[in-house]
C-alpha cells in the first residue's frame, strides 16, 4: 500500500518505519527541513531503541523516503496518516492548528480518493473537523474518508509497541475506509476494535486519563503510607496481584510527566467542561500529580536544612527511562525548586542531556557519569529510574559523596540494602532509613 505519514516525531517516524517494514511504500513528511535532512543522512532526530536500524533497513530497500513536500506525499499515497503534534494551550484545551494545517493542505492537493487517518491524539469531534477542513479546501469535490486511529505506543518501547499493540482502534464512518486500515494492520495479527469516529477518539483520552489516575491514586496511597508507617511497595504488590486491578502503573513516585499524560488529562477535563460535565475526579488527579515534586523537595529541604549552599546530584532528567524526551519532565520542577532554595545542581542523564540543556535553568552542571555528578555532593536525588541507576555501584557512590544521603523519587533501591551500605535514605511511601 502507498502510505504518507505527516509528522516525523515519536509517533510518525516509528509508524512510518514499521509500515515500511511490513512491506508498504511509505513517504514520511515533516515541515522541519533540518529533521528531514538529518533523516535522509541516516541520523535519527529522536532516541528510540531499534529505530535507527529499522529506518536504515527500509531506506536501503527503497520502501521508506523522507520529504518536506506534503503535496507530493499526498498525491502518491492512498492512505495519509496525520501524526503531527497536538500541544496544549494555556487553558488546557488542545491546539489543533497543526492538524488543521495538514488537513487544509491535503484538501488543496488531493487528486483522487484518499483515506485520511488521524493518528494524533485529538479531542472528540476532531474527525468531523478534519472532514470539514479537507472538504472546504478542495478546489473541486473529490471523495475521501476520515478515520480515527489513535496511537498507544510508549516512548522507549515504541517499535515493540507498534509491532505488538494490545489493540488497534479504528474509528470510521464508512466500512470501506475501515477495511483499508484493517488490511494495513492485518499482518500484525493483533486485536482490532472497529467503531465509530467519536468513540475511537474518546478511547484514547479515556485510556490515558485512567492510567494517570492510577498513578495519582497510588501516590495518594503513598502519602497515607508515609503518615501511617506502612510500605507502599508492599501495598502496591498486594493490590496489583488482584486481576481486577493489575500492577501496571501502580508505582508510587514523583508522578507522571511527558508529552502525553499531562496534556491529555487537561484536554479531557477541558472537553468534558465544554460538553457540560465537570470532571472533578480528573481535576484531583492533576492536583495530586502537581504536589509530587514540591513534596520531595520539601523532604530534601528539611533533611539538608539549610539547602542554601548545598550541592545536589540529580540522576535522571528524561521524563521516563529509555527516552531523550524532556517534555513535562519532573526533573525540571525538582531542579527549579532546588535552585530556588539555594542549592547547586549537578545533573546526569544517560541520553537526555542535550535536550535538557535547552529546557533546564542556567546554572546546572552536566556530568559525564553519576559518580562525577555525586563527587563531593551533599545528596543524590534520583528522578528518572533508568536501569543504569538500578545497577549502579552504590559502594562507589557512597565513597564519592560528601554526605551519604539519597532521595529516591522512584523507589528503585531496597531500604534494607541502603541501611547495610550506611546511607541515609528517603524514598516514596516508605519509612526513611536513618543510620544510628
Ligand atoms: P512530535 O512533536 O515528536 O512530532 C510531531 C512532528 O510533526 C514534528 O516533527 C513537527 O515538525 C511535525 N509537524 C507539525 N506540523 C506539521 C505540518 N504542518 N506538516 C508537517 N509536519 C508537521 O510529536 P509526537 O510525540 O510524535 O506526537 C504526535 C501526536 O501523537 C500527538 O498528538 C501526541 O499526543 C500523540 N501521541 C504521542 C505519543 C508519544 O509517546 N509521543 C504516544 C501516543 C500518541
Amino acid at each position: 500500500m502507498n502510505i504518507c505519514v505527516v509528522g516525523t516525531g515519536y509517533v510518525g517516524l516509528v509508524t512510518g518505519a514499521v509500515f515500511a517494514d511490513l512491506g508498504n511504500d511509505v513517504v514520511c513528511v515533516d515541515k522541519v527541513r533540518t529533521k528531514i535532512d538529518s533523516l535522509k543522512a541516516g541520523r535519527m532526530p529522536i532516541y528510540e531503541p531499534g529505530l535507527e536500524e529499522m529506518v536504515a533497513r527500509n531506506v536501503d530497500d527503497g520502501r521508506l523516503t523522507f520529504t518536506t513536500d506534503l503535496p507530493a506525499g499526498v498525491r502518491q499515497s492512498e492512505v495519509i496518516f496525520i501524526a503531527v503534534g497536538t500541544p496544549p494551550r494555556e487553558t488546557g484545551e488542545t491546539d489543533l492548528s497543526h492538524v488543521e494545517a495538514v488537513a487544509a493542505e491535503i484538501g488543496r492537493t488531493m487528486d483522487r480518493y484518499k483515506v485520511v487517518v488521524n493518528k494524533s491524539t485529538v479531542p472528540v469531534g476532531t474527525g468531523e473537523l478534519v472532514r470539514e477542513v479537507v472538504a472546504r479546501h478542495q478546489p473541486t469535490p473529490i471523495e475521501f474518508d476520515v478515520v480515527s486511529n489513535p496511537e498507544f505506543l510508549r516512548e522507549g518501547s515504541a517499535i515493540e509497541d507498534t509491532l505488538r499493540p494490545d489493540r488497534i482502534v479504528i474509528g470510521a464512518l464508512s466500512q470501506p475506509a475501515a477495511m483499508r486500515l484493517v488490511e494495513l494492520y492485518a499482518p500484525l495479527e493483533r486485536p482490532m476494535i472497529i467503531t465509530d469516529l467519536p468513540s475511537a477518539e474518546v478511547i484514547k483520552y479515556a485510556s490515558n486519563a485512567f492510567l494517570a489516575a492510577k498513578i495519582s491514586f497510588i501516590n495518594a496511597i503513598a502519602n497515607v503510607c508515609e503518615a501511617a508507617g506502612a510500605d507502599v511497595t508492599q501495598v502496591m504488590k498486594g493490590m496489583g496481584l488482584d486481576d481486577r486491578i493489575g500492577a501496571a502503573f501502580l508505582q508510587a513516585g514523583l508522578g507522571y510527566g511527558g508529552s502525553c499524560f499531562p496534556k491529555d488529562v487537561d484536554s479531557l477535563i477541558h472537553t468534558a467542561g465544554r460538553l457540560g460535565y465537570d470532571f472533578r475526579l480528573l481535576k484531583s488527579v492533576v492536583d495530586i500529580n502537581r504536589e509530587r515534586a514540591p513534596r520531595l523537595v520539601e523532604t530534601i529541604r528539611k533533611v539538608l536544612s539549610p539547602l542554601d549552599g548545598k550541592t545536589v546530584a540529580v540522576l535522571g532528567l528524561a521524563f521516563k527511562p529509555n527516552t531523550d524526551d524532556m517534555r513535562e519532565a519532573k526533573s525540571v520542577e525538582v531542579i527549579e525548586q532546588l535552585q530556588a532554595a539555594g542549592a547547586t545542581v549537578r545533573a546526569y542523564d544517560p541520553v537526555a542531556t542535550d535536550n535538557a540543556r535547552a529546557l533546564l535553568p542556567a546554572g546546572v552542571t552536566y556530568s559525564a557519569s553519576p559518580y562525577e555528578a555525586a563527587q563531593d555532593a551533599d545528596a543524590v536525588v534520583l528522578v528518572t529510574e533508568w536501569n543504569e541507576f538500578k545497577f549502579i555501584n552504590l559502594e562507589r557512590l557512597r565513597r564519592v559523596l560528601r554526605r551519604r544521603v539519597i532521595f529516591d523519587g522512584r523507589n528503585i533501591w531496597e531500604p534494607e540494602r541502603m541501611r547495610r551500605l550506611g546511607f541515609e535514605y528517603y524514598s516514596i511511601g516508605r519509612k526513611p532509613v536513618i543510620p544510628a
Side-chain angles (χ1 to χ4, degrees), residues 5-166:
V5 181
V6 191
T8 57
Y10 289 89
V11 169
L13 185 54
V14 171
T15 302
V18 167
F19 282 149
D21 220 46
L22 294 176
N24 300 286
D25 284 316
V26 181
V27 53
C28 284
V29 181
D30 206 285
K31 64 176 182 181
V32 178
R33 180 164 294 281
T34 49
K35 237 180 203 189
I36 293 299
D37 287 345
S38 72
L39 280 164
K40 281 181 171 170
R43 288 189 306 274
M44 296 303 104
I46 52 166
Y47 171 79
E48 194 57 51
L51 181 63
E52 193 168 345
E53 297 82 344
M54 187 179 266
V55 167
R57 185 164 68 235
N58 287 285
V59 168
D60 286 350
D61 291 349
R63 283 190 301 268
L64 182 61
T65 55
F66 301 101
T67 182
T68 53
D69 188 348
L70 177 56
V74 169
R75 278 193 289 268
Q76 72 189 65
S77 310
E78 322 156 43
V79 181
I80 304 150
F81 283 86
I82 303 178
V84 297
T86 47
R89 294 190 197 278
E90 278 291 300
T91 53
E93 185 184 3
T94 299
D95 175 355
L96 289 172
S97 57
H98 301 303
V99 172
E100 286 191 53
V102 174
E105 193 63 15
I106 293 173
R108 273 193 288 272
T109 49
M110 172 184 287
D111 53 354
R112 62 197 150 93
Y113 173 79
K114 309 276 173 191
V115 179
V116 180
V117 187
N118 219 335
K119 194 166 251 316
S120 297
T121 303
V122 291
V124 59
T126 306
E128 183 47 35
L129 174 77
V130 166
R131 202 197 54 72
E132 186 270 312
V133 173
V134 172
R136 183 153 41 90
H137 287 83
Q138 288 182 328
T140 51
I142 299 171
E143 207 190 322
F144 66 97
D145 278 300
V146 175
V147 176
S148 166
N149 171 221
E151 182 52 63
F152 300 94
L153 65 77
R154 295 162 298 177
E155 289 173 23
S157 54
I159 298 267
E160 180 64 18
D161 291 346
T162 308
L163 286 169
R164 266 171 286 280
D166 290 336

Side-chain angles (χ1 to χ4, degrees), residues 327-347:
R327 289 178 282 186
E328 301 280 330
K330 286 289 170 187
S331 62
V332 180
E333 286 175 58
V334 170
I335 289 173
E336 278 174 0
Q337 290 166 27
L338 286 171
Q339 285 186 332
T344 299
V345 174
R346 260 191 249 133

Side-chain angles (χ1 to χ4, degrees), residues 387-434:
N387 261 345
E388 175 176 337
F389 302 141
K390 291 182 187 161
F391 303 112
I392 202 168
N393 184 335
L394 286 165
E395 278 94 350
R396 184 169 165 201
L397 197 68
R398 187 185 56 192
R399 277 198 302 276
V400 298
L401 277 167
R402 182 177 15 228
R403 222 182 125 179
R404 295 161 179 178
V405 190
I406 295 191
F407 300 92
D408 179 355
R410 302 290 178 181
N411 287 355
I412 68 167
W413 294 297
E414 277 308 313
E416 196 37 50
R417 181 161 172 233
M418 302 310 262
R419 181 190 312 281
R420 280 201 309 276
L421 287 165
F423 282 109
E424 189 173 340
Y425 176 67
Y426 299 84
S427 55
I428 308 288
R430 305 188 289 190
K431 283 186 205 148
V433 170
I434 301 169

